[in-house]
Amino acid sequence: MSYDMDELDINPFFRALQTTFSDLYEKAQEKCYLVCVPQKSNLVGASINQKLLESHILRPSPYFKGQYISQYNPDNQTVSIEDNGQIIHLLQGYKDKKTIRILSEELAYNKNYQPYKILIVEEPFEIRSTGAALSSTKESPINDLLIPKSTFTESKCFLQSITEFSKVLQEIDKAISDFNQHYMVLKDYLEDVADRIQFIVANLSEKCISCSKKKIHSDPRFKDVLYGAVESYFLGMVYNKVFSAICEKFSQEDRDLYNKCFHLDNITPAQLDIPKQFSCPLPTAIFELSRLKDFHTPKEKLNTLKAVIDSITMEIEAHVNSTKQKIDVFPLTSKSDTPCLTSDDLIPLLVTVIAGAKCTTLESDLYYMEYFLWNSTFKDMDDVSYCLVTFKAAVQYMQETDFNTLVQKSHKPVREPGVSELLSGMKISPFDSPGDRLSTQSSRENKIDSYSDFLSTQNIRKDKKPVKLSTLLSQDGKSHKEPQQQGERKIKSIFNESVKRYSPNMMLENKSDDNPLGDFLSGLQNDPFEQSFGKQF
Amino acid sequence: MAGQSVGGRNYNFKCVLLGEGCVGKTSLVLRYVENKFNDKHITTLQASFLNKKLNIGGKRVNISIWDTAGQERFHALGPIYYRDSNGAILVYDITDEDSFQKVKNWVKELRRMLGQDVCLCIVGNKVDLEKDRHVTVAEAEEYAASVGARHFHTSAKLNRGIEELFLDLSKNMITKADDNTSKKSSSLGSGAGSRRSVIVVDDEQPTQKSGGCC
């Protein structure tokens, strides 16, 4: 089903009811009528007028159960709703006697808190949009401007795509250059750094708005998207400088957490009180988390955390389903017996994933995600915020727990593969190791000896500079890559929407032909440690 | 997704869910968010973060329901979850006295951490097991009143009392959010103590009588 969870927030029909035709809507609420809202994608080209709205507001028929009469009286429009509540039949008063699918139902209450229903229906009862619009499943280009940009590359392409911004983009690049060259980023003044960047980003975004000419640019949604894009672009370009300081500030915490990951080599899932039905390898989640360091903007990093939790859920779901099919160890007779993942389960599961991924700068990353993200309307409330908080909880639990004191428990533990194993394509079987540890002996043997050695493999490298916007603008516009063109894959999200996952190499544009560093230095830039995990797939 | 909430006046609330392991808090919240059109929450096992949208008096209300780590070993992690909550649902099992005592501890902690800004709902679940009740109605209601909380009885099994609970909580959160907004506007800049509880997006776009989307 292509139904958007936020349909009513963006639906022009519902918006008209809330604003221009609020009298109509208030009357419908007062009488507890049934309000049918055609989904937005099938309203393209439709004239939203009083007649259309009235024909979608229904009151129960005084004569027949299950039948409703519209508020548009002249044609005596009558519909019926199937008992299962999923199909509407247009009976009389409409041009065609057709059936219309109900996509969703929303709970609604009037001012006196009496309940009424809002149904999202597949298409308008009478006025249909053109065939082209009906068959189209894609958003029109104009709507792309209203879709928040989640990656550095998307943000950059978005900013480049608006020609009116060309002068401001040069200012943005100048501000980035000034920041990188002259601004002192000190580890003990990170809040000041965040304030400063926030101020610069807000200022530059306002400048973009002031030179906007099109009508859509005055849409509050466009402003949100623009602010977010400027923020992501700016942060992506100053990442090395800022994140180095954050890592310096949290070096002790990062080191402690990294060491804890190795302590967990000797701990079984049972000792972490992970329910037995949820004990399974989580290689996809570990792989996702291992990519965290390859992303440079807080939004990208947050989406990575979400992808980790989505992966955990999907892997466990697959495990539970396969167990269910095999034997009656976990007899699940109905849907209501399906075990549910709660926060109490997620924390220890995340501990195993963090231990498997052997993150070297996770504390720094969490700080960066929390304090260097400003343009998010639902910050601290949405699903991504929940993922951040769950990670923070898991990390705090790891830091405060002495895993050496955990007592060996009885049930057969599951061994979690390390990143090195995942990357070497080693096949892991859930129950094949006599050691049954979260990480293997071989991975320990192969591990990089010290924290500092491992850290040196990270891509916090000051010689790696993303290409500026204004430089690209001066080049042939054809060189701009659309973000969807390469390296994209989708993870089914357990929350609201699918998460687009990109190969990390998409974050930074490919180097231009005129390489100022020469072959040797550019060879170092492309050394194996910089090889992104994403390229393996 | 953030940033798309435009049109009319919309509210976005964070609500934390607290309760011991066996009190049925997950079943309760799954009952509330499930619907016949979309049962993916149940099929995908995920019960730690759930969303519910409803419409009250013409306003859109989005409630993000955060399951909170409730096990004793995660006790210290509670504040990470509570932060910036507009509401808290504290669930106990009417047949389990200990679970009610646990609720009392959480109430103390929530009041200490969040003050009076958070709307509290204490919920006695499993009323289908009335014959085994160990927490009296009078005791529970008296306690809830004493701490400025609302009290509800529910049965996730029978789907009883759940919509009423969330409607009442939503009403209280809207009232509190409106109060905070008016306080903020009457004393500009002195919004200390009132968390960013609500997104009120005023209709900035010119109204239109006709035309397609956007």
Side-chain angles (χ1 to χ4, degrees):
Chain A
M1 192 183 289
S2 62
Y3 169 62
D4 180 359
M5 291 291 283
D6 293 309
E7 175 72 33
L8 288 189
D9 287 343
I10 55 168
N11 188 292
F13 182 103
F14 189 66
R15 185 177 174 73
L17 275 178
Q18 286 184 305
T19 54
T20 316
F21 299 98
S22 57
D23 293 355
L24 204 59
Y25 188 34
E26 282 194 15
K27 187 184 168 197
Q29 290 181 68
E30 191 187 321
K31 305 273 186 188
C32 295
Y33 288 160
L34 188 64
V35 180
C36 298
V37 179
Q39 67 172 336
K40 183 192 169 198
S41 59
N42 282 341
L43 281 168
V44 178
S47 173
I48 298 174
N49 52 32
Q50 181 137 356
K51 184 187 169 190
L52 180 78
L53 296 168
E54 282 182 343
S55 67
H56 287 77
I57 296 175
L58 310 170
R59 64 186 163 88
S61 163
Y63 311 111
F64 298 104
K65 194 185 169 197
Q67 287 193 7
Y68 295 81
I69 298 166
S70 90
Q71 286 305 96
Y72 185 69
N73 289 326
D75 294 341
N76 202 18
Q77 294 171 333
T78 308
V79 308
S80 70
I81 299 180
E82 282 189 8
D83 289 344
N84 63 12
Q86 304 208 6
I87 300 285
I88 293 177
H89 297 278
L90 305 185
L91 299 178
Q92 68 176 57
Y94 297 94
K95 278 181 189 167
D96 302 315
K97 285 186 179 177
K98 58 182 179 179
T99 58
I100 290 173
R101 206 154 57 99
I102 300 171
L103 301 179
S104 180
E105 181 182 304
E106 288 227 5
L107 255 184
Y109 301 90
N110 64 17
K111 283 177 182 165
N112 299 319
Y113 304 110
Q114 294 168 305
Y116 68 100
K117 279 183 189 172
I118 299 175
L119 303 179
I120 317 291
V121 296
E122 194 168 22
E123 57 179 300
F125 292 170
E126 204 159 48
I127 298 173
R128 282 167 292 174
S129 44
T130 63
L134 274 172
S135 59
S136 170
T137 54
K138 289 181 181 172
E139 292 280 354
S140 59
I142 204 164
N143 279 350
D144 285 342
L145 296 176
L146 304 178
I147 298 170
K149 311 300 166 212
S150 57
T151 69
F152 176 84
T153 311
E154 277 183 343
S155 301
K156 189 158 71 171
C157 288
F158 168 79
L159 293 172
Q160 286 167 349
S161 69
I162 301 167
T163 49
E164 295 101 303
F165 293 171
S166 57
K167 276 196 173 176
V168 186
L169 296 186
Q170 286 178 355
E171 275 191 58
I172 294 176
D173 278 341
K174 170 126 190 359
I176 288 164
S177 176
D178 286 348
F179 186 92
N180 278 331
Q181 285 175 26
H182 306 302
Y183 193 83
M184 291 278 284
V185 178
L186 301 172
K187 70 180 173 79
D188 293 327
Y189 294 90
L190 292 174
E191 284 179 22
D192 295 323
V193 176
D195 289 345
R196 180 69 191 157
I197 295 175
Q198 187 180 11
F199 175 78
I200 294 170
V201 165
N203 195 26
L204 292 167
S205 302
E206 284 301 324
K207 283 187 177 175
C208 286
I209 292 291
S210 65
C211 63
S212 297
K213 288 169 189 161
K214 290 177 188 153
K215 192 183 167 190
I216 194 169
H217 293 172
S218 62
D219 190 317
R221 286 173 290 172
F222 176 81
K223 288 182 185 171
D224 279 347
V225 175
L226 175 68
Y227 273 61
V230 174
E231 182 181 309
S232 285
Y233 176 67
F234 195 97
L235 284 168
M237 295 293 279
V238 301
Y239 175 76
N240 290 338
K241 185 165 185 162
V242 171
F243 197 66
S244 298
I246 295 173
C247 287
E248 200 183 340
K249 169 85 174 171
F250 293 96
S251 60
Q252 185 61 50
E253 290 87 344
D254 279 333
R255 192 177 297 118
D256 291 345
L257 188 68
Y258 184 71
N259 290 333
K260 287 276 182 177
C261 292
F262 286 100
H263 289 167
L264 280 159
D265 281 354
N266 300 316
I267 302 298
T268 65
Q271 284 174 291
L272 288 172
D273 278 334
I274 293 174
K276 197 171 179 181
Q277 69 265 41
F278 297 154
S279 290
C280 67
L282 302 167
T284 315
I286 291 173
F287 169 72
E288 285 292 342
L289 186 57
S290 70
R291 299 171 70 203
L292 187 64
K293 66 184 185 311
D294 299 320
F295 294 102
H296 290 187
T297 70
K299 272 186 197 165
E300 288 170 322
K301 285 180 185 281
L302 281 166
N303 282 334
T304 303
L305 300 192
K306 189 171 172 229
V308 172
I309 291 183
D310 283 339
S311 301
I312 289 174
T313 309
M314 284 186 285
E315 288 179 308
I316 288 179
E317 185 183 13
H319 174 70
V320 168
N321 286 339
S322 67
T323 312
K324 199 162 43 170
Q325 284 165 7
K326 273 185 207 164
I327 38 173
D328 288 334
V329 174
F330 313 112
L332 304 172
T333 53
S334 69
K335 193 180 274 183
S336 61
D337 291 325
T338 304
C340 286
L341 271 178
T342 64
S343 294
D344 282 325
D345 303 317
L346 265 182
I347 292 172
L349 285 165
L350 272 182
V351 168
T352 67
V353 171
I354 293 167
K358 303 273 188 289
C359 297
T360 53
T361 58
L362 188 55
E363 290 267 17
S364 302
D365 278 312
L366 294 176
Y367 180 88
Y368 180 56
M369 285 179 253
E370 187 170 4
Y371 293 99
F372 284 79
L373 181 77
W374 308 287
N375 184 263
S376 176
T377 314
F378 297 147
K379 193 181 174 203
D380 301 331
M381 293 192 180
D382 58 8
D383 50 359
V384 171
S385 308
Y386 172 79
C387 294
L388 174 64
V389 161
T390 310
F391 262 88
K392 280 172 64 181
V395 165
Q396 186 176 323
Y397 176 67
M398 284 176 80
Q399 296 280 32
E400 290 173 356
T401 306
D402 181 2
F403 294 106
N404 294 322
T405 61
L406 290 176
V407 183
Q408 190 80 24
K409 289 189 179 175
S410 60
H411 95 248
K412 197 170 187 180
V414 177
R415 150 180 184 263
E416 201 63 76
V419 178
S420 53
E421 288 172 324
L422 292 171
L423 293 177
S424 64
M426 189 172 159
K427 189 145 185 163
I428 309 294
S429 166
F431 304 107
D432 65 354
S433 168
D436 286 327
R437 302 299 181 219
L438 289 171
S439 184
T440 62
Q441 184 62 35
S442 63
S443 73
R444 260 176 279 150
E445 284 168 2
N446 293 333
K447 81 186 180 194
I448 296 169
D449 286 322
S450 70
Y451 174 80
S452 56
D453 286 344
F454 204 105
L455 206 59
S456 69
T457 69
Q458 305 300 297
N459 59 353
I460 310 164
R461 292 176 51 158
K462 294 185 179 177
D463 59 337
K464 190 172 180 179
K465 291 182 180 170
V467 181
K468 290 178 180 179
L469 267 177
S470 49
T471 315
L472 282 168
L473 279 172
S474 65
Q475 296 168 355
D476 183 359
K478 288 175 186 171
S479 65
H480 301 158
K481 290 190 195 106
E482 284 301 318
Q484 280 81 8
Q485 283 176 343
Q486 54 172 242
E488 179 185 318
R489 63 197 177 86
K490 276 193 173 181
I491 288 183
K492 184 180 126 196
S493 177
I494 54 166
F495 300 106
N496 288 335
E497 55 200 271
S498 295
V499 186
K500 280 187 233 166
R501 303 298 301 148
Y502 298 93
S503 296
N505 59 325
M506 292 180 62
M507 291 171 37
L508 305 173
E509 291 292 330
N510 290 336
K511 299 287 175 286
S512 56
D513 290 339
D514 51 336
N515 185 353
L517 294 176
D519 291 338
F520 175 68
L521 284 177
S522 67
L524 282 180
Q525 267 197 328
N526 299 323
D527 65 30
F529 287 125
E530 293 292 318
Q531 186 83 9
S532 63
F533 296 126
K535 289 178 181 171
Q536 309 262 332
F537 280 163
Chain B
M1 187 78 182
Q4 292 187 335
S5 185
V6 178
R9 298 164 72 84
N10 299 331
Y11 294 92
N12 193 53
F13 295 122
K14 172 179 168 183
C15 183
V16 285
L17 183 67
L18 289 150
E20 272 199 313
C22 301
V23 299
K25 58 176 178 159
T26 306
S27 305
L28 188 140
V29 78
L30 283 174
R31 263 288 193 196
Y32 185 58
V33 301
E34 76 179 351
N35 67 61
K36 55 186 171 236
F37 301 97
N38 182 4
D39 61 354
K40 70 179 177 182
H41 292 305
I42 295 167
T43 55
T44 56
L45 295 137
Q46 203 282 124
S48 52
F49 176 92
L50 296 161
N51 255 322
K52 180 75 177 178
K53 294 206 168 181
L54 59 160
N55 303 270
I56 300 179
K59 295 165 189 168
R60 298 271 293 150
V61 180
N62 178 48
I63 311 175
S64 304
I65 305 163
W66 292 38
D67 176 47
T68 302
Q71 290 177 5
E72 195 54 45
R73 59 179 172 150
F74 300 135
H75 180 79
L77 309 177
I80 300 177
Y81 287 91
Y82 312 147
R83 195 186 136 191
D84 285 332
S85 297
N86 307 108
I89 298 172
L90 303 112
V91 189
Y92 68 93
D93 174 354
I94 62 160
T95 68
D96 179 0
E97 170 67 27
D98 285 347
S99 70
F100 185 61
Q101 290 306 320
K102 195 88 180 180
V103 161
K104 289 181 176 177
N105 295 339
W106 271 312
V107 167
K108 275 184 208 158
E109 191 168 315
L110 284 167
R111 286 291 184 220
R112 188 164 47 83
M113 302 295 299
L114 302 173
Q116 294 298 316
D117 272 352
V118 65
C119 301
L120 301 184
C121 269
I122 297 173
V123 180
N125 194 30
K126 302 192 184 178
V127 288
D128 47 292
L129 302 176
E130 187 64 42
K131 61 181 186 323
D132 297 322
R133 180 185 277 276
H134 280 83
V135 181
T136 66
V137 177
E139 182 192 1
E141 290 187 340
E142 195 179 318
Y143 171 72
S146 73
V147 292
R150 302 274 297 168
H151 183 269
F152 284 88
H153 277 119
T154 60
S155 166
K157 190 175 176 183
L158 305 175
N159 196 10
R160 194 169 292 164
I162 300 172
E163 279 193 13
E164 291 85 341
L165 152 71
F166 279 96
L167 174 62
D168 189 78
L169 180 63
S170 302
K171 280 156 61 177
N172 289 335
M173 290 192 294
I174 289 171
T175 306
K176 203 144 263 184
D178 288 345
D179 284 353
N180 283 340
T181 308
S182 57
K183 268 184 208 163
K184 218 175 181 178
S185 56
S186 65
S187 58
L188 200 65
S190 62
S194 61
R195 65 183 57 89
R196 191 178 63 81
S197 54
V198 58
I199 309 294
V200 179
V201 186
D202 280 315
D203 185 18
E204 290 181 30
Q205 284 188 314
T207 54
Q208 51 186 26
K209 283 265 180 190
S210 64
C213 58
C214 307

